[in-house]
């Protein structure tokens, strides 16, 4: 391939401007290296900008300052339990040692700020699990501090915003929005938030009170730009330059012209995995039947380019995980541009259940999205492509909303007309409208209601774990996750399995160096984030297990390239 040489020189070329790539850029610059960041999309932030901005980092300093006891041994025990026979001691040790170090480093050397959260591990009752402390969230950020680069920040995921307004991952804002018609305090809070947000929309054409992953992406980008590091958006990197067995740069298409970017030390792949690579998704996602479209809220630009380039350079792909991706129940919102709505909140609330194609429950609806997605896979029939129905009564829908349909006082007629919501006056009528056995659905709800009247779920133990209760409604007692479904009309939304990013990826060593099938590293090539095969082995142990390792290994890779990891061999 003929390409025009780039006039500048760089020690490190980073492919991808999500959290992992931007972290690596900050660390490399502080180590005295000259990095450049190349991003395929016209905006920076990657999937990070769509996320909750949560990092899972055992032993972090925020937990210690709040008196939360934890240990590396406990975290190691938990990870060994979760990853099973795909547990890797070497990578786990690097993560547990350098994760807390990475957090403190960024807070000392960048605009990135974190705050403690109350998230339990997803399986806190498992060996080594904890009820709180390992997950941290990103502090809010004023997007105006990005100046003219604000327009280059990827907007938040449209399906989980309200008029473009972002909500923090701890649901503090949501509690006020849920209570807007029942509390003067909440009504005042919501009115103020809306007024400020609308003023920002008029002036900046987007929200600037950034929270969650949008705040994390903005904080990292501000830090990168302050260091004089260029973030080149619209740079479609498609080829690695390999000379004498080593990667020495990349070729990118920018404005229709191929340009070469030489890397004096290394190339770091951080392009986000393969969630939008149709061919690899069809091969790796077992729940997809012939002609079944995959619904994913991951950005369209995440098409597996980094993985494809590395494989052409001799890299090995780790594709034997029990779960190829982080599964998420999603619903399809009709419209000129259909949306994939991730069900992050409603399933946990009292008054909701999920049923499969047979009209029966098959999972604790208040488990993590990944666990629910995996259960949807396990419950699918031979001819069914893993769909389910989220069902609620009128009281629950108007209090909490359901899927993309917002709670009262927002109207829901639009979603009924589009077919997104299905409504009927009786359970039997609802069963007929969604195509499930009426007797089975009526029996399922009758059985559920018998225990739910007392806050119990004998079938699946909903509300029995700290994680279940954390995302329920604390004001609903005796069980924040369970209430009977009794007040018609009744509603249903169809769910399919989507993903929030891929787990399978390039084989790497403990520094993020990309490996060949024989286990030897490819000189000059690193992979971090979702381009790197997840250290969790296809498991999802807690909130932030994607961003925590992604940013940790971005930190580790950059320090290794710089020869700045005490007690570790220097990169070749």
């Amino acid at each position: 391939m003929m390409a025009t040489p780039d006039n500048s020189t760089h020690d490190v070329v980073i492919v991808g401007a999500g959290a992992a790539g931007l972290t690596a850029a900050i660390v490399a610059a502080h180590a005295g290296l000259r990095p450049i960041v190349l991003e395929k999309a016209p905006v920076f932030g990657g999937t990070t900008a769509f996320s909750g901005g949560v990092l899972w980092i055992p032993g972090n300093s925020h937990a210690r300052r709040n008196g939360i006891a934890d240990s590396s041994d406990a975290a190691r025990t938990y990870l060994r339990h979760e990853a099973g026979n795909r547990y890797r001691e070497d990578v786990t040790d690097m993560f547990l040692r350098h994760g807390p170090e990475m957090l403190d480093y960024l807070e000392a050397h960048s605009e990135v700020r974190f705050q403690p959260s109350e998230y339990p591990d997803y399986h806190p009752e498992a060996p080594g699990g904890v009820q709180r402390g390992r997950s941290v969230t990103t502090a809010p950020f004023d997007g105006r501090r990005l100046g003219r680069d604000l327009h280059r920040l990827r907007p938040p995921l449209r399906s989980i915003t309200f008029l473009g307004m972002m909500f923090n991952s701890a649901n503090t804002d949501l509690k006020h929005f849920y209570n807007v018609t029942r509390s003067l305090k909440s009504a005042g809070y919501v009115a103020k938030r809306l007024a400020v947000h609308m003023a920002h929309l008029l002036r900046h054409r987007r929200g600037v009170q950034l929270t969650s992953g949008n705040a994390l992406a903005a904080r990292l980008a501000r830090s990168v730009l302050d260091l004089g590091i260029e973030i080149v958006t619209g740079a479609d990197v498609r080829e690695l330059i390999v000379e004498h067995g080593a990667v020495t740069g990349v070729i990118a298409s920018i404005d229709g012209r191929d340009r070469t970017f030489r890397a004096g030390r290394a190339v770091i792949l951080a392009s986000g995995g393969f969630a939008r690579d149709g061919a690899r998704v069809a091969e790796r996602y077992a729940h997809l039947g012939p002609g079944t479209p995959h619904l994913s809220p991951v950005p369209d630009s995440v098409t597996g380019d980094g993985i494809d380039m590395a494989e052409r350079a001799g890299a090995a792909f780790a594709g034997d995980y029990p779960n190829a991706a982080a599964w998420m129940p999603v619903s399809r919102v009709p419209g000129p541009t259909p949306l994939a709505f991730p069900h992050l909140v409603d399933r946990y609330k009292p008054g909701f259940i999920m049923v499969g194609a047979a009209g029966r429950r098959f999972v604790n609806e208040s488990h993590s999205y990944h666990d629910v997605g995996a259960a949807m896979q396990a419950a699918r029939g031979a001819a069914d492509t893993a769909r389910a129905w989220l069902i609620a009564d009128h009281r629950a829908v108007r209090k909490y909303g359901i899927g993309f349909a917002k709670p009262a006082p927002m109207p829901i007629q639009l979603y009924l007309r589009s077919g997104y919501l299905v409504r009927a006056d009786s359970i039997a009528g609802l069963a007929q409208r969604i195509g499930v056995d009426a007797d089975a659905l009526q029996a399922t709800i009758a059985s559920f209601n018998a225990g739910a009247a007392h806050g119990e779920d004998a079938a699946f133990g909903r509300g029995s774990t700290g994680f279940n209760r954390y995302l329920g409604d604390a004001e609903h007692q005796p069980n924040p996750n369970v209430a009977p479904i009794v007040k018609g009309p009744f509603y249903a939304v169809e769910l399919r399995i989507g993903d929030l990013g891929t787990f399978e990826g390039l084989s790497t060593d403990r520094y993020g160096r990309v490996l060949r099938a024989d286990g030897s590293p490819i000189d000059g090539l690193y992979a971090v984030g979702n381009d790197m095969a997840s250290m969790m082995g296809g498991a999802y142990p807690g909130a932030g297990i994607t961003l925590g390792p992604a940013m940790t290994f971005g930190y580790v890779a950059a320090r290794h390239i710089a020869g700045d990891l005490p007690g570790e061999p220097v990169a070749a």
Side-chain angles (χ1 to χ4, degrees), residues 128-316:
V130 300
Q131 293 293 341
R132 65 190 182 108
R134 288 176 178 165
S135 296
V136 298
T137 60
T138 306
F141 186 71
D142 186 341
R144 290 171 292 189
R145 293 185 58 198
L146 280 173
R148 64 182 183 180
D149 288 300
L150 176 61
H151 77 281
R152 291 207 298 156
L153 172 66
R154 182 181 295 281
L157 188 63
R158 187 161 70 92
S159 61
I160 59 173
T161 63
F162 177 62
L163 301 175
M165 184 187 300
M166 288 166 264
F167 301 99
N168 67 51
S169 59
N171 297 324
T172 303
D173 288 334
L174 291 179
K175 292 174 184 177
H176 286 295
F177 276 78
Y178 288 147
N179 290 319
V180 67
T181 61
R182 291 177 290 275
S183 162
L184 287 176
K185 179 180 178 181
S186 291
Y189 179 93
V190 169
K192 182 178 178 180
R193 280 278 275 128
L194 284 172
V196 172
H197 177 67
M198 295 309 293
H200 289 157
L201 285 182
L202 288 172
R203 183 170 182 179
H204 303 285
R205 293 182 296 172
R206 61 158 293 162
V208 299
Q209 292 180 302
L210 309 184
T211 66
S212 304
N214 222 241
L216 178 58
R219 285 181 173 277
L220 286 165
R222 179 70 274 163
S223 305
V224 167
L225 295 169
D226 284 346
L227 288 166
I229 302 166
E230 189 177 6
I231 303 175
V232 184
T233 48
D236 188 1
V237 179
R238 289 288 181 170
E239 200 68 43
L240 298 173
I241 301 171
V242 182
E243 298 172 321
H244 309 294
V247 172
T248 58
V250 304
I251 299 175
S253 176
I254 302 175
D255 294 330
R257 182 167 62 95
D258 287 339
R259 292 175 58 185
T260 62
F261 292 84
R262 290 282 177 177
R265 296 285 189 96
V267 171
I268 300 178
L269 299 175
S271 60
F274 64 90
R276 292 289 194 164
D277 178 349
R280 202 181 295 263
V281 161
E283 176 188 335
R284 302 305 311 152
Y285 289 11
H287 61 273
L288 293 178
T292 304
H294 178 62
L295 300 177
S296 176
V298 171
D300 291 342
S301 57
V302 182
T303 53
D305 302 339
I307 293 171
D308 291 343
M309 288 187 293
E311 285 186 313
R312 291 196 296 272

Side-chain angles (χ1 to χ4, degrees), residues 47 271-277 280-281 284-285 294 296 298 302-304 307 317-318 321 323-327 499-506 529-535 538 540 545-546:
T47 306
S271 60
F274 64 90
R276 292 289 194 164
D277 178 349
R280 202 181 295 263
V281 161
R284 302 305 311 152
Y285 289 11
H294 178 62
S296 176
V298 171
V302 182
T303 53
I307 293 171
F317 179 78
Y321 285 0
N323 296 290
W327 305 129
D499 69 69
L500 292 184
T502 46
F503 285 156
E504 295 180 337
L506 297 170
N530 286 354
D531 283 348
M532 170 187 183
S534 170
M535 61 169 284
Y540 210 123
I545 62 94
T546 298

Side-chain angles (χ1 to χ4, degrees), residues 49 58 99 121 125 154 192 204 213 233 255 315 319 394 437 462 490 495 545:
D121 287 343
E125 289 76 22
R154 182 181 295 281
K192 182 178 178 180
H204 303 285
T233 48
D255 294 330
H394 186 74
D437 183 85
R462 193 163 163 199
F490 303 95
L495 303 181
I545 62 94

Side-chain angles (χ1 to χ4, degrees), residues 414-425:
L414 171 65
Y415 307 109
L416 292 167
R417 288 196 299 269
S418 70
Y420 176 72
L421 272 184
V422 178
R423 181 172 67 184
D425 291 331

Side-chain angles (χ1 to χ4, degrees), residues 325-344:
W327 305 129
M328 161 64 73
V330 299
S331 53
R332 183 182 183 275
V333 184
T337 304
L339 302 176
F341 179 88
H343 286 257
L344 295 160

